[in-house]
Amino acid sequence: MSTTEQTLWGGETAKAIENFPVSGERVPEAVIHWLGRIKAAAARANAELGQLDGDVAARIAEAGDRVGAGEFDSQFPIDVFQTGSGTSSNMNANEVMANLAGDGAHPNDHVNMGQSSNDVFPSAVHLAALDEATHRLLPALERLESALQVKADEFHDIVKSGRTHLMDAVPVTLGQEFAGYAAQIRLGARRVRNALPQVAQIPLGGTATGTGLNTHPKFAELVRARLSETSGLDIRGPEDPFEAQGNRDALVELSGALKVVAVSLTKIANDLALMGSGPRAGIGELFLPELQKGSSIMPGKVNPVLPEVVLQVAAQVIGNDTAITIGGMQGQFELNVRIPLIARNLLGSIHLLTTASKLFAEKCIDGIQANEEGARRSAESTLAAATALNPHIGYDKAGQIVKTAAESGRNLREVALEHGVDEETYETAMDLRKMARGSAAHPDAQQS
């Protein structure tokens, strides 16, 4: 904040600034914006219910709208590691909006009317997470899934060696692998989506302990309706007010879904980096986009930088989930008191997964090309392809062929014929593309 900018906060904010010089990191802006929106809707609802003077309510609502639009982010300087209920940030919001509203607007009596830090701050966190997940994360995951599916279709007929335990396995296609990656992201998005109806249940209206003391009985319903209308989100009341006040289980659930997405991204990014390894001494089945120089000393070296970014993001999200889980365990009786911690890490995870998924799709997946020569070489080299001979000659004899080929360095065809497999049987069984289709390679399968 510049020296000429007016300070809108008051004494309670000043105390919090002095008391909590912990990290230098503020409460996520999305939470501040939702505090503004909630308090704007609350002022309008209180005026409609005859609880608040219409002129004062209108000025508070306008102030809340402006805070919700991000005009006054610099006026919320309190460290995110503060009182565990978020009371300091709620008082900060009350003071800023009262000052913006002008004469006759009191931070507690009017801006905070019908509310408590204990119900309004967690409501803001829930709605920030719901909003960011709905409008940013899910579209980013859909973009990534689409990019992977495009590559699955493009690589449909490119056969390569499968691998299990990092060892050669029966042939698969690159298309099958990429379709699996697309499904991982699709299922991850579904898990996130399935967690959101619980996140949409906000404790607003419970005030201090869930009883609704000092709140008009229609207040919370009116506020939720206004917020749903203006945001397009399906904001709901709690199934039980004491569950909603005392626990942040819905946020822990959402974080768990984000962790699964991070695990999926780890699998995908690792696979792509391995398949793109080389160009001569690695696996060499994919060409990843060359985005920048990979070494300050080795000329011409390029690295799988986007997969590496994704792997680091995934590790951070998994770490955030651990902190959120511990925070979720810290609800004593009628209130969870680790809400700022949960907000910081949950919204951080949503942001990281959103940006990383978009970058992964745009700067890596879209530009991946198949190394068809490398894929063909790996498909033809895997001794596990002899598995297709099992229905014809049995597991033991096929095993002898593989062992002989491995020890001698000779190819499967030569060794199989030497072990009495007739040429027609070998050619039928060892069709690599058909083998990658699974049951289509069985001798009893119908010919297409």
Side-chain angles (χ1 to χ4, degrees):
M1 187 174 60
S2 69
T3 55
T4 59
E5 186 175 345
Q6 180 185 5
T7 298
L8 296 173
W9 68 71
E12 292 304 313
T13 302
K15 290 176 188 176
I17 294 170
E18 182 179 350
N19 289 334
F20 310 125
V22 181
S23 67
E25 182 179 347
R26 300 180 178 187
V27 172
E29 289 179 353
V31 175
I32 300 302
H33 298 165
W34 274 100
L35 279 173
R37 292 165 190 156
I38 290 170
K39 290 180 181 293
R44 293 182 174 109
N46 280 321
E48 182 177 340
L49 294 168
Q51 304 294 298
L52 185 59
D53 174 78
D55 176 62
V56 173
R59 286 186 275 122
I60 292 172
E62 181 184 359
D65 290 340
R66 295 177 69 188
V67 169
E71 286 188 44
F72 298 101
D73 290 349
S74 64
Q75 298 292 329
F76 294 86
I78 301 173
D79 202 282
V80 69
F81 291 98
Q82 57 173 276
T83 178
S85 60
T87 298
S88 296
S89 284
N90 184 46
M91 298 286 263
N92 185 180
N94 291 336
E95 290 176 341
V96 168
M97 290 181 219
N99 277 324
L100 286 171
D103 291 342
H106 190 278
N108 298 85
D109 294 338
H110 301 140
V111 179
N112 201 60
M113 179 178 283
Q115 306 151 58
S116 163
S117 300
N118 296 354
D119 67 344
V120 75
F121 188 81
S123 292
V125 174
H126 275 241
L127 294 181
L130 178 64
D131 190 11
E132 296 291 298
T134 299
H135 293 129
R136 298 188 69 236
L137 177 58
L138 287 174
L141 292 177
E142 289 166 4
R143 170 69 174 87
L144 178 56
E145 180 205 344
S146 175
L148 290 164
Q149 188 59 53
V150 166
K151 292 301 171 180
D153 296 339
E154 182 181 333
F155 301 153
H156 176 75
D157 287 325
I158 299 177
V159 182
K160 50 160 282 184
S161 174
R163 295 180 182 87
T164 59
H165 302 265
L166 292 178
M167 305 297 285
D168 299 351
V170 297
V172 298
T173 70
L174 270 175
Q176 288 169 327
E177 290 183 322
F178 274 78
Y181 303 149
Q184 277 189 282
I185 300 304
R186 182 168 64 253
L187 290 168
R190 186 183 303 168
R191 292 182 180 101
V192 171
R193 199 173 287 110
N194 288 343
L196 295 183
Q198 289 71 249
V199 177
Q201 296 182 29
I202 61 173
L204 190 70
T207 61
T209 62
T211 64
L213 181 67
N214 292 346
T215 299
H216 191 285
K218 293 184 179 180
F219 167 80
E221 179 183 353
L222 283 178
V223 173
R224 289 194 304 269
R226 287 180 178 276
L227 292 173
S228 295
E229 181 181 359
T230 55
S231 68
L233 299 170
D234 181 16
I235 301 169
R236 308 175 182 185
E239 291 188 23
D240 181 274
F242 289 88
E243 183 283 327
Q245 197 91 354
N247 308 290
R248 301 275 62 84
D249 291 353
L251 301 183
V252 175
E253 179 186 10
L254 176 57
S255 179
L258 301 181
K259 179 177 72 173
V260 177
V261 173
V263 168
S264 296
L265 287 171
T266 299
K267 165 65 162 62
I268 295 166
N270 266 327
D271 280 5
L272 297 185
L274 287 169
M275 284 193 283
S277 61
R280 295 188 177 180
I283 290 176
E285 293 171 346
L286 291 176
F287 295 119
L288 303 184
E290 298 183 1
L291 299 179
Q292 60 188 60
K293 292 178 180 178
S295 174
S296 61
I297 188 172
M298 292 177 280
K301 190 176 189 294
V302 292
N303 297 327
V305 290
L306 253 299
E308 290 173 358
V309 166
V310 170
L311 290 167
Q312 292 175 83
V313 164
Q316 183 63 62
V317 169
I318 292 167
N320 287 350
D321 178 69
T322 299
I324 291 165
T325 301
I326 294 170
M329 295 162 59
Q330 301 301 312
Q332 294 93 29
F333 301 108
E334 278 66 60
L335 188 67
N336 178 283
V337 287
R338 303 293 183 267
I339 305 170
L341 166 73
I342 293 172
R344 172 191 182 271
N345 287 282
L346 184 63
L347 289 163
S349 290
I350 292 171
H351 174 73
L352 285 172
L353 289 175
T354 297
T355 53
S357 294
K358 289 172 64 178
L359 286 171
F360 200 22
E362 294 169 2
K363 292 185 176 289
C364 183
I365 308 300
D366 286 352
I368 285 177
Q369 296 178 353
N371 181 347
E372 297 195 39
E373 180 183 348
R376 181 171 58 253
R377 182 170 57 248
S378 76
E380 292 173 351
S381 298
T382 175
L383 298 179
T387 303
L389 292 171
N390 288 357
H392 303 276
I393 63 174
Y395 177 90
D396 291 338
K397 190 169 183 178
Q400 292 171 4
I401 293 171
V402 169
K403 184 177 181 181
T404 301
E407 291 175 347
S408 66
R410 295 153 65 198
N411 63 52
L412 276 175
R413 177 188 177 86
E414 181 181 347
V415 176
L417 296 181
E418 185 179 277
H419 279 68
V421 179
D422 65 88
E423 191 165 346
E424 183 179 355
T425 297
Y426 185 87
E427 295 297 339
T428 300
M430 299 299 285
D431 184 323
L432 296 179
R433 281 192 174 81
K434 190 178 290 186
M435 200 183 302
R437 304 301 174 198
S439 60
H442 193 276
D444 294 334
Q446 296 291 325
Q447 297 297 314
S448 58

